[in-house]
């Protein structure tokens, strides 16, 4: 073998190849070229001009230094064959050793040295537990025969070629007088083994029986810095290896604030004829402008990188938060020269809410954004997450040679606006896999909006401040938390209230205000309390069963027959009611009881009839969810108005309509159901909707009455946010009733013998999500409210919620484990944590129509031909996916896997359902469930 050294063999793709100056005549990628481009990209992704950038440059240059061995070159070159031990062709640990040497010589701190070394050692893998890996794996490797054989082989073969890397690694560093870096110096240092003393000092403790790994001496905040270096290095490395050019990695577009301003101005140009609605819209706009002014104060101060936006539900937090986020992004972009846009990341608790937000971004009257292009990415486990550039813009991604590149850019959030879930955001900061880590560079200097953070599981509440510190301190991100009930997890932090600072802001003295929109209508700012007082939409009723969890109270719960009677009484001759249950089993029982009412029409079967009549392929529907919902209504003899000046038409006496909603429906069907709920909740008909918590946060629907099974106070307030949302029934015209529903199989609810669903969810749920004594705490807080009937909105939404969070803080409900393991850099342990607790699930592709069945058959056939092709087609079927508990699938052996392999084999652990026995998909019974799923229904939520 002769020089030059190569990093990757020539690509098989004809359309994509590295520039000729980076390759040999055979188009093999030169190792020096790869080791030049990767540090350039890594430091650009890192977005920091401090000495950390110098350290990352050095580490990224040396990350593939281990490829300079004759052993690796024989392995990678197509015309050569590696005949030695397999371990000697590995390259990451030799690169890590070289990284330690370079960073030590340029004076990097212990934290940066170890963080960069770990990042290089694991740039093809997930991060490890730092102390164990350093003291055992790295120490053994650095002192072992494999690295010694690699060092000797380089020294004998091409020491001058290796020498070049040390100059490249310090090309942007002013070395101290007398300091020089060379192959000879590194070779001598590495052979002496002096690095072991440094590793042991950081990652071990001396005991009588010898050394053992210990986190006690690890540098402070090692996890944060390691995560940051590793993520930037990994994305830079992968993107260059996959021949993604700079303009695709950094040249993304973004959504603009001006379009939002124009849209809102157009809406306000034709105010509502209803004075109450017009006044509510003024309050929404007042808050939006005030929060924007608050952003100016926030960015000019140094009190905190976290801002809060606390507004009553229904007062336009979405537009207000987006306006504040875009304003902050634009101002910060104008203050520094990043060379590429600053991402805005909008995170929500549930995928069901994301689909509604997605429709807002895609609205042709607003941005009309395409989630496959570089202005918007939608990322959750059911989404197709790609970013398409250039020549692929007009074609299907899967039909191009760029599908893999588009997938990486999507997964890496290389976009101006990202719509995602808390799971994607926080789990990627908590022990991410190598692929999850690709998105972390997007967090550098980003704007992050947390919508409804109180929905984060309470056993994570201790960890969230620590993760927010990582976001704001290490990644230099700015965070806006917006909700009607700021949870105690945020109240404990130093934050800036956008409304409070916006109220005190002097726009005449603000250059940023003078550069912004000059509004015709003046709306003076108000206090947070004023917004809540003016926005009172509901009155609360506390049923005796909601107070039955106190120590001195008589235990009595609400039966389903009695609940149905209460719901129908509230609906009357023309009204709507939403009943939010705590488990899927409970919601199914209540739906069934209501549906048995004479003159009741369940619209679920009608939806299925329309799907079958249109032969809808839910993966690529030719009919929109909006059009299908109108078709369902027409089948029921209803025609909704086209605009606010139009009216409903009905055929004869309309019956009682009922629907049920949860996460067990296919995503496409969920959108249809939400469309129906949007129409019927304010229609001049009788309508009852039964749901789990999936409808609570962010779903823009409005009912006359809401019944909520007992829950944490913040969840009760979120449910109330679906009531009289835009004053359809006048100021304080909505009613919210809190009760405790009995177990679906309870025979004597007045004197119960079975545990209620609320206890399974809030006290006994697995993975520590349950809080012992939680229901008693909730009942005690509710009992302290001054009345049980006709309670003012603010008494619950502000005062009771405050008391509830204070009581929770005293109870110390959150686990400290995640915070502790971040502080001790145990990334492998952290990788097993999830925001989705309770029970293990599997995904099932559900076919309803013949077109769906053809889709499943096509995927299965693709797997039999080529596994990669099968996975590609599987990604396109996200609209058919439903998650089920593993135990439900274990009891349904007839359900086959999509790849037609046996259940215990490797492969795609996704199932296909076309009507086989063991499970059923009912649009009237709550979606996908086991045919004998009573036990699972008691525990499963959402």
């Amino acid at each position: 073998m002769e020089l030059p050294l190569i990093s990757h063999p020539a690509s098989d793709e004809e359309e994509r190849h590295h520039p000729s100056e980076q390759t040999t005549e055979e188009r093999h990628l030169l190792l020096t070229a790869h080791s030049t481009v990767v540090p350039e990209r890594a430091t650009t992704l890192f977005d920091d001009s401090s000495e950390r950038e110098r350290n990352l440059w050095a580490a990224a240059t040396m990350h593939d230094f281990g490829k300079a061995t004759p052993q690796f070159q024989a392995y990678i070159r197509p015309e050569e064959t590696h005949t030695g031990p397999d371990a000697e062709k590995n390259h990451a640990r030799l690169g890590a050793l070289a990284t330690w040497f370079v960073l030590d010589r340029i004076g990097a701190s212990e934290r940066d040295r170890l963080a960069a070394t770990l990042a290089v050692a694991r740039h093809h893998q997930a991060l490890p537990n730092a102390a164990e890996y350093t003291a055992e794996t790295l120490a053994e490797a650095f002192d072992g025969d494999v690295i010694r054989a690699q060092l000797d082989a380089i020294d004998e073969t091409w020491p001058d070629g290796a020498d070049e890397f040390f100059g490249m690694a310090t090309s942007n560093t002013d070395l101290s007088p007398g300091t020089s870096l060379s192959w000879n110096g590194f070779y001598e240092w590495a052979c002496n083994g002096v690095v072991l003393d440094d590793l042991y000092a950081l990652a071990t403790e001396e005991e009588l029986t010898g050394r053992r790994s210990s986190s006690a001496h690890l540098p402070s905040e090692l996890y944060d810095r390691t995560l940051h270096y590793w993520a930037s290095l990994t994305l830079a490395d992968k993107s260059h290896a996959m021949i993604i050019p700079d303009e695709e990695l950094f040249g993304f577009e973004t959504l603009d604030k001006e379009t939002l301003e124009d849209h809102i101005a157009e809406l306000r140009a034709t105010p509502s004829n209803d004075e109450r609605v017009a006044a509510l819209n003024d309050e929404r706009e007042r808050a939006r402008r005030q929060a924007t002014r608050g952003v100016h104060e926030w960015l000019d101060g140094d009190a905190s990188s976290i801002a809060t936006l606390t507004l009553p539900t229904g007062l336009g937090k979405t537009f207000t938060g987006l306006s504040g986020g875009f304003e902050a992004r634009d101002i910060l972009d104008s203050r520094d020269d990043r060379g590429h846009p600053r991402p805005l990341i909008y995170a929500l608790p549930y995928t069901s809410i994301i689909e509604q937000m997605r429709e807002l971004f895609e609205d042709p009257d607003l941005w009309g954004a395409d989630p496959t292009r570089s202005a918007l990415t939608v990322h959750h486990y059911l989404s197709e997450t790609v970013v398409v550039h250039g020549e692929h813009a007009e074609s299907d991604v899967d039909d191009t040679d760029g599908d893999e590149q588009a997938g990486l850019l999507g997964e890496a959030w290389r976009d101006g606006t990202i719509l995602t879930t808390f799971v994607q955001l926080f789990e990627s900061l908590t022990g991410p896999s190598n692929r999850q880590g690709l998105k972390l560079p997007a967090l550098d200097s980003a704007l992050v909006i947390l919508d409804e953070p109180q929905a984060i599981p309470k056993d994570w509440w201790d960890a969230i401040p620590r993760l927010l510190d990582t976001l704001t301190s290490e990644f230099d991100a700015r965070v806006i938390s917006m909700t009607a009930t700021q949870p105690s997890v945020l109240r404990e932090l130093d934050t800036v209230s956008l409304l409070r600072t916006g109220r005190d802001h002097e726009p005449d003295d603000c250059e940023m205000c003078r550069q912004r929109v000059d509004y015709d209508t003046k709306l003076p700012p108000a206090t947070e309390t004023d917004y809540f007082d003016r926005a009172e939409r509901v009155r609360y009723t506390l049923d005796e069963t909601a107070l039955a969890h106190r120590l001195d109270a008589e235990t009595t719960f609400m039966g389903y027959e009695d609940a149905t009677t209460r719901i129908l009484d509230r609906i009357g001759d023309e009204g709507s009611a939403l009943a939010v249950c705590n488990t899927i089993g409970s919601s199914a029982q209540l739906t069934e009881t209501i549906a048995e009412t004479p003159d009741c029409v369940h619209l679920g079967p009608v939806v299925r009839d329309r799907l079958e009549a249109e032969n809808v392929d839910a993966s690529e529907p030719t009919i929109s969810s909006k059009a299908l919902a109108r078709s369902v209504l027409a089948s029921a003899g209803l025609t909704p108005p086209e605009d606010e000046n139009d009216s409903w038409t009905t055929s004869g006496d309309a019956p009682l309509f009922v629907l049920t909603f949860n996460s067990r429906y296919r995503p496409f069907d969920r959108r249809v159901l939400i469309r129906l709920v949007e129409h019927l909740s304010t229609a001049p008909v009788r309508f009852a909707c039964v749901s789990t918590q999936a409808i609570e946060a962010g779903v823009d629907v409005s009912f006359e009455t809401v019944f909520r099974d007992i829950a944490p106070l913040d969840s009760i307030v979120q449910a109330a946010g679906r009531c009289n949302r835009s004053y359809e029934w006048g100021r304080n015209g909505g009613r919210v009733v809190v009760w405790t529903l009995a177990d679906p199989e309870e025979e004597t609810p007045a004197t119960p013998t079975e545990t209620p669903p609320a206890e399974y969810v809030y006290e006994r749920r697995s993975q520590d999500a349950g809080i012992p004594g939680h229901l008693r705490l909730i009942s005690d807080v509710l009992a302290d409210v001054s009345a049980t009937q006709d309670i003012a909105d603010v008494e619950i939404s502000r005062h009771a919620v405050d008391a509830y969070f204070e009581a929770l803080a005293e109870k110390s409900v959150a686990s400290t484990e995640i915070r502790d393991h971040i502080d001790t850099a145990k990334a492998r342990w952290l990788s097993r944590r999830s925001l989705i607790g309770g029970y293990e699930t599997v995904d099932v592709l559900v076919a309803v129509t013949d077109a769906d069945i053809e889709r499943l058959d096509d995927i299965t056939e693709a797997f039999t031909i080529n596994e990669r092709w099968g996975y590609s087609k599987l990604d396109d079927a996200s609209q058919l996916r439903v998650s089920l508990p593993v135990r439900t699938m274990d009891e349904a052996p007839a359900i086959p896997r999509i790849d037609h392999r046996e259940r215990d084999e490797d492969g795609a652990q996704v199932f296909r359902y076309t009507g086989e026995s063991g499970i059923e998909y009912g649009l009237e019974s709550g979606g996908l469930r086991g045919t004998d799923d009573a036990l699972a229904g008691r525990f499963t939520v959402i």
Side-chain angles (χ1 to χ4, degrees):
M1 286 184 294
E2 296 182 357
L3 299 176
L5 304 172
I6 69 171
S7 174
H8 297 78
S11 170
D12 293 333
E13 291 188 10
E14 296 182 2
E15 297 297 326
R16 290 197 176 221
H17 52 79
H18 290 100
S20 58
E21 64 270 18
Q22 296 181 15
T23 65
T24 66
E25 292 182 358
E26 299 81 13
R27 286 190 172 176
H28 303 321
L29 178 61
L30 291 167
L31 181 56
T32 52
H34 184 59
S35 298
T36 300
V37 173
V38 170
E40 290 173 350
R41 288 191 172 186
T43 51
T44 302
L45 290 166
F46 196 74
D47 193 37
D48 190 302
S49 58
S50 68
E51 66 177 21
R52 294 186 301 172
E53 182 180 289
R54 177 203 66 176
N55 298 333
L56 178 59
W57 177 281
T61 302
M62 304 306 294
H63 84 284
D64 272 354
F65 178 74
K67 291 183 177 181
T69 65
Q71 295 94 320
F72 182 85
Q73 291 297 308
Y75 162 70
I76 200 68
R77 295 173 188 246
E79 68 276 9
E80 300 284 346
T81 302
H82 171 67
T83 57
D86 282 348
E88 290 184 14
K89 71 178 189 293
N90 297 334
H91 68 279
R93 291 174 186 171
L94 181 55
L97 181 61
T99 296
W100 183 281
F101 172 76
V102 173
L103 264 64
D104 180 59
R105 291 299 187 269
I106 65 176
S109 68
E110 288 183 337
R111 175 167 68 142
D112 286 281
R113 247 183 296 160
L114 183 53
T117 299
L118 290 169
V120 170
R122 302 291 289 192
H123 71 273
H124 291 301
Q125 299 168 285
L127 290 172
N129 293 339
E132 297 168 20
Y133 188 81
T134 302
E136 298 168 11
T137 306
L138 282 185
E140 290 174 8
F142 291 173
D143 194 37
D145 295 337
V146 170
I147 282 185
R148 183 56 185 262
Q150 292 173 323
L151 292 168
D152 290 343
I154 293 175
D155 197 56
E156 293 170 4
T157 310
W158 39 61
D160 292 341
D163 199 58
E164 186 176 356
F165 284 84
F166 296 94
M168 292 164 55
T170 56
S171 60
N172 67 342
T173 301
D174 294 328
L175 297 177
S176 302
T179 302
S180 64
L181 284 87
S182 65
W183 163 256
N184 288 334
F186 170 66
Y187 180 59
E188 180 181 350
W189 172 86
C191 292
N192 286 340
V194 294
V195 67
L196 297 181
D197 291 338
D198 292 336
L199 298 184
Y200 289 148
L202 288 173
T204 68
E205 285 188 331
E206 186 76 56
E207 295 184 344
L208 292 176
T209 56
R211 290 190 175 275
R212 69 171 181 87
S213 64
S214 170
S215 303
H217 304 298
L218 289 177
S220 176
E221 297 177 337
L222 172 67
Y223 177 81
D224 311 61
R225 186 61 48 82
T226 304
L227 194 70
H228 204 175
Y229 284 160
W230 172 79
S232 299
L233 170 60
T234 299
L235 180 55
D237 182 39
K238 285 184 185 293
S239 64
H240 189 233
M242 292 175 63
I243 323 179
I244 296 176
D246 284 355
E247 58 266 26
E248 293 189 9
L249 188 64
F250 299 107
F252 46 80
E253 301 171 357
T254 189
L255 303 182
D256 63 294
K257 188 184 178 214
E258 289 72 22
T259 298
L260 179 59
E261 290 284 354
D262 292 343
H263 179 71
I264 293 173
E266 185 176 343
L267 293 175
R268 289 185 59 77
T270 54
S272 173
N273 295 327
D274 188 319
E275 292 183 3
R276 291 169 302 188
V277 174
L280 177 61
N281 287 337
D282 278 349
E283 287 300 291
R284 290 167 173 163
E285 180 63 3
R286 184 196 313 277
R288 191 180 76 88
R289 297 180 191 177
Q290 184 173 336
T292 300
R293 290 194 295 269
V295 166
H296 300 170
E297 289 284 330
W298 177 40
L299 297 186
D300 279 344
D302 57 3
S304 175
S305 294
I306 302 173
T308 60
L309 177 60
T310 308
L311 280 170
T313 302
L315 216 64
K317 285 193 297 294
T318 300
F319 277 172
T320 300
L322 285 174
S323 295
F326 286 139
E327 181 80 350
R329 178 204 63 191
D330 293 347
I331 292 170
L332 291 172
D333 278 346
S334 71
R335 293 179 177 178
D336 60 34
D337 184 20
R338 283 169 53 89
H340 55 283
R342 186 183 311 268
L344 186 143
I345 298 162
Y346 196 111
L348 288 153
Y350 309 124
T351 56
S352 57
I353 312 172
I354 280 189
E355 292 306 315
Q356 185 167 304
M357 274 293 296
R358 175 178 181 160
E359 291 182 2
L360 175 71
F361 288 124
E362 294 177 351
D363 185 347
D365 293 330
L366 190 49
W367 288 289
D370 179 354
T372 66
R373 300 309 307 275
S374 70
L376 172 68
T377 284
V378 178
H379 191 196
H380 55 86
Y381 86 106
L382 292 177
S383 62
E384 180 189 14
T385 308
V386 297
V387 173
V388 185
H389 285 266
E391 68 273 18
H392 308 311
E394 303 302 324
S395 60
D396 185 89
V397 177
D398 287 335
D399 294 333
T400 75
D401 290 330
D403 58 340
E404 191 173 1
Q405 288 87 350
L408 182 137
L409 289 170
E411 293 278 352
W413 291 0
R414 304 313 298 166
D415 237 334
T417 308
I418 296 97
L419 179 60
T420 191
T421 60
F422 293 157
V423 169
Q424 293 293 336
L425 175 63
F426 287 117
E427 288 191 9
S428 293
L429 285 166
T430 312
S433 65
N434 190 265
R435 189 170 185 85
Q436 285 175 311
L438 296 176
K439 67 173 68 71
L440 294 178
L443 300 178
D444 263 304
S445 301
L447 265 298
V448 180
I449 297 177
L450 303 179
D451 194 346
E452 312 292 3
Q454 78 287 340
I456 296 170
K458 290 178 174 57
D459 57 326
W460 272 68
W461 279 17
D462 180 74
I464 295 302
R466 182 64 178 82
L467 294 172
L468 291 177
D469 183 63
T470 301
L471 257 180
T472 57
S473 298
E474 181 63 38
F475 287 87
D476 197 30
R478 295 268 185 166
V479 177
I480 298 176
S481 168
M482 57 186 207
T483 180
T485 54
Q486 292 292 346
S488 55
V489 64
L490 287 163
R491 298 180 187 203
E492 297 167 3
L493 301 176
D494 289 329
T495 60
V496 172
S497 166
L498 294 183
L499 292 179
R500 191 173 301 119
T501 56
R503 182 171 179 265
D504 299 335
H505 186 64
E506 294 293 343
D508 294 339
D509 298 333
C510 177
E511 179 64 27
M512 290 177 283
C513 286
R514 289 194 292 270
Q515 295 174 0
R516 295 314 189 256
V517 179
D518 186 16
Y519 299 108
D520 294 333
T521 305
K522 303 303 179 185
L523 295 169
T527 66
E528 284 186 5
T529 301
D530 287 340
Y531 283 112
F532 278 87
D533 289 342
R534 294 172 185 173
E536 288 214 334
R537 297 165 292 102
V538 305
R539 309 292 281 188
Y540 284 85
T541 295
L542 303 178
D543 186 79
E544 64 174 341
T545 60
L547 307 177
H549 305 278
R550 295 169 297 155
L551 282 176
D552 58 349
E554 181 180 353
T555 302
T556 181
F557 303 142
M558 179 66 63
Y560 292 82
E561 295 286 349
D562 288 342
T564 296
T565 299
R566 293 276 297 275
I567 291 169
L568 297 183
D569 285 346
R570 283 297 309 171
I571 289 174
D573 295 331
E574 184 182 295
S576 63
L578 168 67
V580 181
C581 303
N582 280 320
T583 64
I584 289 174
S586 178
S587 68
Q589 180 61 58
L590 185 56
T591 303
E592 182 180 332
T593 307
I594 294 173
E596 291 172 351
T597 302
D599 196 28
C600 181
V601 173
H602 197 313
L603 289 175
V606 185
V607 173
R608 186 176 192 117
D609 289 344
R610 298 314 306 158
L611 288 169
E612 292 176 342
E614 298 283 348
N615 195 26
V616 174
D617 176 356
S619 292
E620 294 183 0
T622 56
I623 182 173
S624 68
S625 59
K626 180 179 179 180
L628 191 59
R630 293 185 72 92
S631 177
V632 169
L633 292 172
S635 297
L638 300 173
T639 304
E642 294 290 345
D643 55 53
E644 69 171 16
N645 297 317
D646 201 358
S647 59
W648 280 82
T649 59
T650 61
S651 58
D653 295 331
L656 168 70
F657 294 104
V658 67
L659 273 174
T660 187
F661 182 80
N662 59 48
S663 64
R664 291 283 190 85
Y665 292 104
R666 305 183 307 173
F668 179 79
D669 300 340
R670 287 207 302 264
R671 291 201 299 276
V672 175
L673 293 173
I674 286 295
R675 291 283 190 185
L676 289 169
V677 173
E678 288 172 349
H679 284 303
L680 293 171
S681 60
T682 55
V685 297
R686 295 187 295 154
F687 176 53
C689 177
V690 182
S691 177
T692 60
Q693 301 94 307
I695 206 168
E696 280 185 353
V699 180
D700 191 6
V701 294
S702 185
F703 289 83
E704 183 178 6
T705 306
V706 168
F707 294 86
R708 182 55 166 100
D709 195 6
I710 191 167
L713 270 292
D714 50 310
S715 294
I716 292 172
V717 171
Q718 288 300 317
R722 308 320 115 196
C723 185
N724 197 26
R725 193 171 177 85
S726 295
Y727 296 108
E728 294 89 348
W729 292 273
R731 181 176 172 83
N732 285 321
R735 290 294 179 267
V736 177
V737 179
V738 185
W739 57 24
T740 300
L741 285 171
D743 185 276
E745 297 184 4
E746 177 62 66
E747 296 182 358
T748 57
T751 56
T753 59
E754 300 288 344
T755 300
E759 186 170 324
Y760 288 118
V761 177
Y762 301 117
E763 295 200 17
R764 293 169 52 182
R765 193 172 167 196
S766 61
Q767 293 194 358
D768 297 325
I771 301 169
H774 199 178
L775 294 184
R776 183 194 310 164
L777 183 153
I778 295 168
S779 269
D780 286 342
V781 171
L782 291 176
D784 286 339
V785 176
S786 58
T788 59
Q789 303 286 326
D790 201 36
I791 304 167
D793 194 340
V794 71
E795 283 295 314
I796 300 294
S797 62
R798 295 285 278 181
H799 305 320
V801 166
D802 285 346
Y804 168 70
F805 283 140
E806 288 175 6
L808 272 185
E810 292 176 2
K811 197 174 181 61
S812 300
V813 299
S815 168
T816 63
E817 282 190 307
I818 294 175
R819 179 192 292 265
D820 293 342
H821 284 78
I822 291 173
D823 289 340
T824 53
K826 293 183 178 177
R828 181 173 175 79
W829 183 93
L830 291 167
S831 69
R832 297 191 287 268
R833 302 307 99 189
S834 175
L835 265 78
I836 306 173
Y839 49 90
E840 187 179 358
T841 62
V842 293
D843 281 355
V844 184
L845 302 185
V846 177
V848 172
T849 66
D850 291 340
D852 292 331
I853 294 174
E854 289 178 14
R855 171 75 60 171
L856 298 192
D857 290 342
D858 185 44
I859 298 170
T860 299
E861 182 181 1
F863 269 107
T864 63
I865 297 171
N866 180 280
E867 189 173 83
R868 183 176 175 183
W869 189 25
Y871 277 109
S872 177
K873 287 184 174 290
L874 181 60
D875 287 342
D876 295 338
S878 60
Q879 295 303 305
L880 301 174
R881 287 195 184 216
V882 182
S883 293
L884 270 184
V886 166
R887 60 175 173 268
T888 299
M889 289 305 298
D890 288 343
E891 295 171 0
I895 310 300
R897 274 176 32 177
I898 190 67
D899 59 3
H900 256 327
R901 294 184 179 179
E902 296 297 324
R903 292 194 175 192
D904 58 352
E905 291 186 71
D906 292 336
Q909 299 293 328
V910 176
F911 294 82
R912 51 174 287 162
Y913 172 69
T914 58
E916 294 84 356
S917 63
I919 61 176
E920 59 185 9
Y921 186 71
L923 280 147
E924 72 285 353
S925 58
L928 190 66
R929 62 179 186 173
T931 51
D932 186 18
D933 209 10
L935 180 61
R938 289 188 181 188
F939 292 91
T940 52
V941 297
I942 301 297

